[in-house]
């Protein structure tokens, strides 16, 4: 499924001061986690991020696994490579949702999606340094199989660190819901980094318009919304540091 409007964006929606406030706050959360001996490494559902238990030593970058195999000759590239390398911190401060929500309402309406959205997940602050990236992935499937399940203490299995499976949640507002719209905000000043573009794969049916790098949202404070089932990536950083804010908007599964 691919809607007629594949994404919807607002150029320079947030001010420089608002972006700096978010960066300073996100960085303070990263520093706080590190001071407590906690990892700030971004994770993935399949545990194939750089620090994941099953990760190998080859960064996937902006390549597909087929391309990686052709370049390296390494068998089973999914086992011997990693798809994500960045730092993240999380928060749910209401003032940030208040900034974002009017743009979500407008994007959902004017794009023609008109998805049933009633809850936003915790907000992810992401920091990409030199050569860091997030390879091809989608944020959600939209069907009942991808809906969040209720985490029940003492009943739901946890890993050795006491973490519940990523498809479960202790948040009652998320139970039975799926990610429908994804959002990214570019927090950086213009020219402060190279690479690090949001790139979409709209599928083979899109022909010559299959792949698209969103340079439209490079201006500081730009916000982009897109359906969460869309395959996308963040290309490797070649200079500087990229800061972004990510949010997933949820509702009941598509029918």
């Amino acid at each position: 499924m691919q809607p007629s409007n594949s994404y919807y964006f607002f150029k320079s929606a947030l001010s420089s001061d608002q972006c700096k406030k978010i960066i300073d706050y996100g960085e303070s959360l990263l520093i706080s986690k590190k001071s407590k001996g906690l990892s700030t490494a971004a994770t993935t559902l399949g545990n194939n991020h750089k620090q994941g238990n099953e990760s190998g030593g080859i960064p996937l970058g902006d390549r597909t696994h087929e391309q990686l195999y052709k370049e390296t000759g390494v068998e089973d590239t999914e086992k011997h490579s990693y798809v994500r390398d960045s730092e993240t911190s999380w928060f749910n401060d209401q003032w940030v949702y208040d900034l974002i929500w009017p743009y979500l309402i407008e994007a959902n309406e004017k794009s023609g999606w008109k998805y049933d959205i009633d809850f936003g997940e915790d907000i992810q602050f992401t920091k990409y340094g030199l050569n860091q990236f997030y390879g091809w992935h989608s944020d959600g499937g939209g069907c009942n199989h991808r809906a969040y399940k209720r985490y029940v203490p003492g009943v739901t299995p946890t890993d050795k660190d006491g973490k519940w499976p990523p498809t479960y949640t202790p948040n009652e507002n998320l139970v039975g819901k799926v990610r429908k719209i994804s959002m990214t905000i570019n927090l950086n000043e213009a020219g402060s980094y190279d690479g690090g573009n949001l790139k979409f794969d709209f599928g083979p049916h899109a022909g010559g318009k299959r792949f698209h790098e969103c340079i439209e949202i490079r201006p500081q404070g730009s916000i982009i919304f897109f359906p969460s089932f869309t395959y996308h990536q963040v290309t490797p950083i070649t200079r500087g540091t990229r800061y972004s804010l990510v949010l997933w908007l949820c509702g009941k599964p598509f029918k």
Side-chain angles (χ1 to χ4, degrees):
M1 179 174 72
Q2 190 65 45
S4 56
N5 281 302
S6 300
Y7 61 91
Y8 198 94
F9 70 97
F10 302 87
K11 187 173 289 187
S12 303
L14 301 188
S15 69
S16 176
D17 287 344
Q18 288 171 326
C19 291
K20 185 179 185 305
K21 181 178 180 180
I22 294 171
I23 290 174
D24 290 345
Y25 185 41
E27 280 279 24
S28 72
L29 295 174
L30 291 174
I31 293 170
S32 177
K33 286 184 70 175
K34 290 177 182 178
S35 71
K36 298 173 184 176
L38 301 174
S39 174
T40 60
T43 60
T44 60
L45 180 61
N47 203 37
N48 58 344
H49 50 283
K50 185 176 183 180
Q51 292 78 13
N53 293 333
E54 301 300 322
S55 295
I58 306 174
L60 189 63
D62 57 357
R63 300 168 290 192
T64 64
H65 284 287
E66 182 180 5
Q67 290 171 329
L68 183 60
Y69 171 71
K70 289 180 179 179
E71 290 180 21
T72 64
V74 173
E75 299 286 348
D76 195 1
T77 57
E78 291 193 24
K79 181 178 180 181
H80 296 289
S81 65
Y82 55 90
V83 73
R84 189 178 193 186
D85 183 15
S86 61
E87 291 186 89
T88 58
S89 58
W90 300 81
F91 55 88
N92 55 12
D93 296 57
Q94 188 60 45
W95 66 272
V96 184
Y97 291 103
D98 290 342
L99 283 176
I100 295 168
W101 215 260
Y103 295 105
L104 162 67
I105 299 302
E106 182 176 343
N108 193 28
E109 180 68 25
K110 291 187 176 180
S111 66
W113 305 330
K114 298 186 179 182
Y115 294 158
D116 178 18
I117 299 292
D118 61 13
F119 192 73
E121 293 191 35
D122 283 358
I123 298 166
Q124 178 184 275
F125 172 80
T126 312
K127 179 180 181 180
Y128 293 89
L130 184 62
N131 297 323
Q132 292 189 311
F133 67 97
Y134 194 170
W136 289 116
H137 67 286
S138 67
D139 295 333
C143 69
N144 282 284
H145 294 294
R146 298 292 293 271
Y148 281 107
K149 303 174 183 65
R150 180 178 287 102
Y151 166 70
V152 180
V155 177
T156 304
T158 58
D159 63 16
K160 59 182 177 62
D161 296 320
K163 296 181 179 179
W164 51 81
T167 51
Y168 285 75
T169 178
N171 190 328
E172 289 294 325
N173 292 307
L174 279 174
V175 175
K177 297 176 184 176
V178 297
R179 292 174 173 176
K180 288 187 168 181
I181 297 178
S182 297
M183 180 218 74
T184 298
I185 302 177
N186 179 28
L187 299 172
N188 289 77
E189 293 182 5
S192 61
Y193 69 95
D194 292 326
N197 282 324
L198 177 64
K199 185 176 181 179
F200 290 124
D201 178 357
F202 297 129
H205 58 281
K209 297 182 180 180
R210 175 172 181 174
F211 298 103
H212 177 67
E213 286 197 56
C214 289
I215 58 174
E216 307 98 307
I217 61 166
R218 291 292 290 221
Q220 186 178 37
S222 296
I223 307 175
I224 187 169
F225 296 91
F226 56 92
S228 296
F229 52 73
T230 307
Y231 270 84
H232 59 286
Q233 64 161 290
V234 175
T235 62
I237 299 292
T238 58
R239 180 186 65 86
T241 301
R242 177 185 189 263
Y243 295 103
S244 64
L245 209 63
V246 177
L247 175 64
W248 301 278
L249 295 311
C250 303
K252 294 181 179 179
F254 292 112
K255 295 182 179 179

